Amino acid sequence: LANAFSKKDVVDFIKKIKNFLSLKDSDNVIFSAEPKIDGISASLKYQNGIFSIGASRGDGRTGEDITNNLKTISNIPKKIKSFNVPSILEVRGEIYISRTDFKKIDKKFSNPRNAAGGSLRQKNSEETKKIPLQFMAYGFGLVKKINFSKQSEYLKLLKEWGFQTSPLAKIVNSIEEIEKNYILIENKREKIDFDIDGLVYKVDDLELQTRLGFVSNAPRWAIAHKFSAEKVFSKIKNIEIQVGRTGALTPVAKITPVTIGGVTVSNASLHNEDEINRKDIRIGDRVCVQRAGEVIPQVLYVDKTKRGKDVKKFIFPKKCPCGNETIKEFNDTTKKIDAVRRCPDIGYDCKYIAKEKLKHLVSKDAFNIEGLGKKVVENFWNKKFIKYPHDIFEFDTSKLKKVDGWGKLSIQNLNDSIKKSKKISLPKFIYALGIRHIGQENAKVLSKNFNNINKFIDACTNLSKKSSAVADDFDAIDGMGASQIDALKKYFLNKKNIILISKLLKYVNVSEYINVKINSSLSGKSVMFTGKFDKMSRSELKMKAENLGAKIVSSISKRTDFLIVGNTKPTVKKVNQAKSINVKIITEKDLLNILN
């Protein structure tokens, strides 16, 4: 889910929905407002009313089978005794421990969420049975045949089928109602017997949900409105510099440990040099700290009434800890110098960047190598076991027999995980490289356009050689901006990066990105849109065209198959350009006929 941290964020979310659906400002969108339970998500599959399999989120794409552990939870129906239950029903919800029950076991666990997570991962379901877990249902996956048309209808059916649902769920249809309900729930948050960290707003109408679809990894039709974070005061003992995988130098405050929302915090982000100066933050200051989005601790402000004479001003270093002179780049979008100071290294020469790149490479959304967490990568680096990506696949794990904390089983598990990771999808591989500005969504867009790793490398290598034809190809990719193209150029200009990729490819098999072939007149066609459309928004028409196999481009070229022109304000230059190179021009009416 995307997150909202303020009323403005929610207003923007509703505005985007209305724009996508071509609704007027005066039109109301009805939402189901439901508490966001702080637990572990699970999915339960029922076949003809009988619970057959249960899964946790796993790696975010493939779930982990936890059926036996879920069967120990008393409020999960093992059989739905109702005539109107669909033949296949996938119920999604949250596993949690109530605050009342947690008091009985709080000496064993730090917080209810950790207790629930650890219990679900038990190999022995008899151990899970000892923990007072509960399940609260709120969503659905596959349903055959679906017998509800609204989220609110589904919640009523869930209750009828014997599932626990939240008594706090409510229908809201205006920003005023949303805000009123949000304040009401936040004010009584501490009295609720289970942990919640916000509210989730879902478009109630399932037909509208289908039309809205998804962007990146989140639905367009839902958002999580987080509660304001808990704030505490602590003293800054020191300020240290951390170097990220893109070379960004981030100042981190080392503070006297404090507990925020059940988590002990000893580090807090200070963001950048400008923020330290703007807030006048000094070593020795008493500062207000919060966990932003209840995840990342950050310093909000200094309590200057408590400032002593022994405070020390922090001088931001002009050099990276590796010795390189740092730079502040000019941002072409904002036309300003960036606030972030960076180490200019874009390879593996800076050891601080190199370590962070390796941590990124093995992370869940990249190679997903279990057993190689951040601390393990740090440890392996310090012991000179690994330095470059290919070292991970060349690593002789028998060396670990002499390392504390590594037994026969953990070594075997790491071996298995490394072996499993050798098969990787193209989007994950591109994302794993850690190229600046190339996130998961950009990696998917690039994969969709180049299909296999060799085409991608060739195109990027030619791009770095300043080939104008190749640059035009990248410009035409819908979703790729100047920042992303420039980042790819810089990365592939560094010959060390190309050598590292070739060494890595000796060990891993990158699968081709298969564009689903759809039998339609738009399948495989390059399509561009211009102007405003009457029946649907341009965004919705783009999504529908993509669903029929079209490739959306952002500039006209000889390889463009169709220019789809709206009835209002089409760009004359684009229309004339299309005519001059014989690109077929079609209207909204023509497109709707194809879509139908």
Side-chain angles (χ1 to χ4, degrees):
L1 290 170
N3 290 324
F5 297 103
S6 64
K7 181 179 176 179
K8 182 184 179 298
D9 291 342
V10 180
V11 170
D12 289 344
F13 163 68
I14 296 170
K15 189 177 179 181
K16 284 177 184 175
I17 284 175
K18 288 183 177 180
N19 287 342
F20 190 93
L21 297 172
S22 285
L23 298 176
K24 298 172 187 171
D25 286 341
S26 56
D27 291 334
N28 271 352
V29 179
I30 297 171
F31 293 95
S32 174
E34 304 163 25
K36 188 175 183 299
I37 303 148
D38 192 15
I40 306 296
S41 58
S43 186
L44 321 176
K45 187 176 182 181
Y46 289 80
Q47 292 176 290
N48 297 316
I50 297 170
F51 178 37
S52 60
I53 191 168
S56 68
R57 189 177 290 169
D59 65 2
R61 185 174 181 85
T62 304
E64 183 182 349
D65 187 344
I66 53 168
T67 309
N68 291 335
N69 288 345
L70 290 174
K71 282 181 177 177
T72 68
I73 300 174
S74 59
N75 75 337
I76 289 180
K78 310 306 178 282
K79 185 177 181 180
I80 301 172
K81 297 171 184 176
S82 178
F83 70 92
N84 65 346
V85 64
S87 59
I88 295 177
L89 172 66
E90 199 179 312
V91 178
R92 293 182 179 171
E94 207 80 3
I95 308 293
Y96 71 99
I97 299 173
S98 71
R99 288 176 174 176
T100 304
D101 287 334
F102 184 67
K103 287 176 184 175
K104 302 168 190 173
I105 59 169
D106 61 358
K107 290 177 182 176
K108 296 179 182 177
F109 303 97
S110 58
N111 58 58
R113 192 179 190 280
N114 286 355
S119 305
L120 288 173
R121 283 189 288 271
Q122 289 281 351
K123 300 288 184 188
N124 184 356
S125 59
E126 288 300 312
E127 291 299 313
T128 306
K129 198 174 183 179
K130 296 174 186 176
I131 307 298
L133 299 172
Q134 294 186 58
F135 178 75
M136 191 172 289
Y138 54 69
F140 60 91
L142 181 67
V143 180
K144 288 185 179 179
K145 290 182 175 180
I146 197 163
N147 57 348
F148 49 91
S149 60
K150 294 178 180 177
Q151 169 69 10
S152 52
E153 283 178 23
Y154 173 64
L155 291 177
K156 287 176 185 174
L157 282 171
L158 280 172
K159 206 169 180 182
E160 187 183 310
W161 293 334
F163 291 93
Q164 181 189 2
T165 58
S166 175
L168 301 171
K170 186 178 181 180
I171 289 293
V172 289
N173 63 8
S174 67
I175 189 63
E176 290 75 24
E177 284 188 17
I178 284 172
E179 186 70 2
K180 185 179 176 183
N181 184 57
Y182 175 83
I183 294 167
L184 178 73
I185 302 292
E186 186 174 33
N187 286 342
K188 66 178 184 180
R189 178 183 178 187
E190 295 307 315
K191 295 176 185 175
I192 298 167
D193 199 30
F194 49 87
D195 288 340
I196 60 174
D197 57 0
L199 292 168
V200 177
Y201 308 132
K202 304 173 186 173
V203 171
D204 195 43
D205 189 312
L206 300 188
E207 189 181 330
L208 292 184
Q209 284 189 15
T210 303
R211 280 180 63 189
L212 286 160
F214 290 75
V215 56
S216 186
N217 294 322
R220 280 193 186 89
W221 44 265
I223 199 166
H225 190 182
K226 294 295 190 84
F227 289 137
S228 52
E230 185 184 339
K231 299 174 180 65
V232 298
F233 282 89
S234 183
K235 184 179 179 180
I236 295 181
K237 297 190 292 182
N238 197 12
I239 295 175
E240 294 181 1
I241 295 295
Q242 287 184 355
V243 185
R245 67 176 170 86
T246 63
L249 272 62
T250 303
V252 175
K254 299 289 178 177
I255 61 173
T256 304
V258 285
T259 301
I260 310 177
V263 177
T264 301
V265 172
S266 55
N267 298 325
S269 176
L270 297 173
H271 301 296
N272 55 56
E273 185 178 6
D274 291 358
E275 276 289 280
I276 291 176
N277 293 334
R278 187 177 67 81
K279 293 175 180 175
D280 189 20
I281 296 168
R282 304 182 189 186
I283 297 166
D285 270 334
R286 189 170 183 268
V287 291
C288 180
V289 181
Q290 75 169 18
R291 286 176 69 213
E294 301 208 345
V295 179
I296 303 165
Q298 62 181 21
V299 170
L300 289 181
Y301 59 87
V302 176
D303 181 358
K304 291 185 180 176
T305 63
K306 299 286 193 299
R307 176 171 279 175
K309 292 179 180 178
D310 57 343
V311 296
K312 186 180 174 185
K313 195 157 185 174
F314 178 72
I315 307 301
F316 205 96
K318 297 294 184 282
K319 284 188 175 183
C320 173
C322 74
N324 277 343
E325 290 286 341
T326 58
I327 55 170
K328 283 190 174 186
E329 297 174 346
F330 180 76
N331 190 311
D332 287 322
T333 307
T334 62
K335 305 300 178 189
K336 293 179 182 177
I337 299 292
D338 275 346
V340 176
R341 193 173 282 281
R342 294 180 188 278
C343 174
D345 179 87
I346 54 171
Y348 278 73
D349 293 335
C350 168
K351 68 176 184 179
Y352 299 95
I353 294 176
K355 271 194 284 188
E356 294 307 312
K357 277 183 175 285
L358 287 173
K359 290 173 188 176
H360 174 79
L361 184 106
V362 302
S363 65
K364 186 176 77 173
D365 295 319
F367 274 85
N368 189 28
I369 304 177
E370 288 182 30
L372 264 186
K374 291 181 179 181
K375 288 182 180 177
V376 177
V377 169
E378 191 90 28
N379 190 21
F380 282 13
W381 172 278
N382 293 336
K383 291 182 182 295
K384 296 185 169 55
F385 288 164
I386 57 173
K387 185 177 180 182
Y388 301 111
H390 57 271
D391 292 339
I392 293 165
F393 300 97
E394 290 177 350
F395 180 51
D396 178 8
T397 54
S398 64
K399 291 180 182 178
L400 294 174
K401 290 175 183 176
K402 297 177 183 177
V403 179
D404 286 345
W406 288 90
K408 191 176 178 181
L409 182 61
S410 56
I411 292 171
Q412 185 57 51
N413 287 342
L414 179 59
N415 267 327
D416 292 343
S417 189
I418 291 172
K419 188 178 178 181
K420 184 182 174 184
S421 73
K422 287 182 179 181
K423 288 184 178 179
I424 188 169
S425 67
L426 182 57
K428 283 198 168 195
F429 184 85
I430 293 172
Y431 176 69
L433 295 176
I435 303 168
R436 190 176 168 200
H437 298 306
I438 305 298
Q440 287 174 270
E441 187 58 24
N442 293 129
K444 286 178 188 172
V445 168
L446 289 164
S447 300
K448 198 172 183 180
N449 275 270
F450 296 108
N451 299 116
N452 68 57
I453 188 61
N454 292 327
K455 285 182 183 176
F456 168 71
I457 292 169
D458 288 346
C460 291
T461 305
N462 288 329
L463 177 69
S464 66
K465 291 174 182 174
K466 298 183 180 178
S467 165
S468 57
V470 175
D472 288 344
D473 285 346
F474 276 89
D475 280 334
I477 298 172
D478 194 49
M480 292 295 290
S483 299
Q484 288 80 14
I485 294 169
D486 190 50
L488 288 167
K489 266 185 197 175
K490 284 180 180 175
Y491 185 87
F492 282 89
L493 265 173
N494 188 331
K495 289 179 181 177
K496 289 181 182 178
N497 287 331
I498 299 171
I499 292 167
L500 286 171
I501 292 173
S502 65
K503 285 185 177 180
L504 189 56
L505 289 173
K506 287 179 182 178
Y507 298 95
V508 302
N509 177 20
V510 184
S511 60
E512 286 204 3
Y513 188 91
I514 307 298
N515 286 312
V516 179
K517 289 186 179 178
I518 298 163
N519 187 19
S520 82
S521 53
L522 290 180
S523 186
K525 304 293 185 186
S526 291
V527 174
M528 187 180 172
F529 288 79
T530 184
K532 190 175 179 182
F533 297 84
D534 295 336
K535 301 291 183 184
M536 294 180 198
S537 68
R538 191 196 300 192
S539 299
E540 187 171 7
L541 286 170
K542 275 186 180 182
M543 186 181 79
K544 286 182 175 291
E546 278 188 306
N547 290 343
L548 285 180
K551 186 164 79 172
I552 311 301
V553 297
S554 56
S555 63
I556 295 281
S557 74
K558 289 179 180 178
R559 286 192 285 269
T560 309
D561 294 293
F562 298 117
L563 176 66
I564 300 167
V565 178
N567 296 325
T568 313
K569 295 181 180 177
T571 305
V572 176
K573 185 181 175 182
K574 287 175 183 175
V575 174
N576 291 338
Q577 195 179 352
K579 286 177 180 175
S580 70
I581 55 175
N582 296 321
V583 171
K584 189 172 181 180
I585 298 172
I586 63 175
T587 64
E588 181 180 10
K589 186 179 177 182
D590 297 329
L591 178 61
L592 290 173
N593 286 335
I594 293 170
L595 295 176
N596 289 332

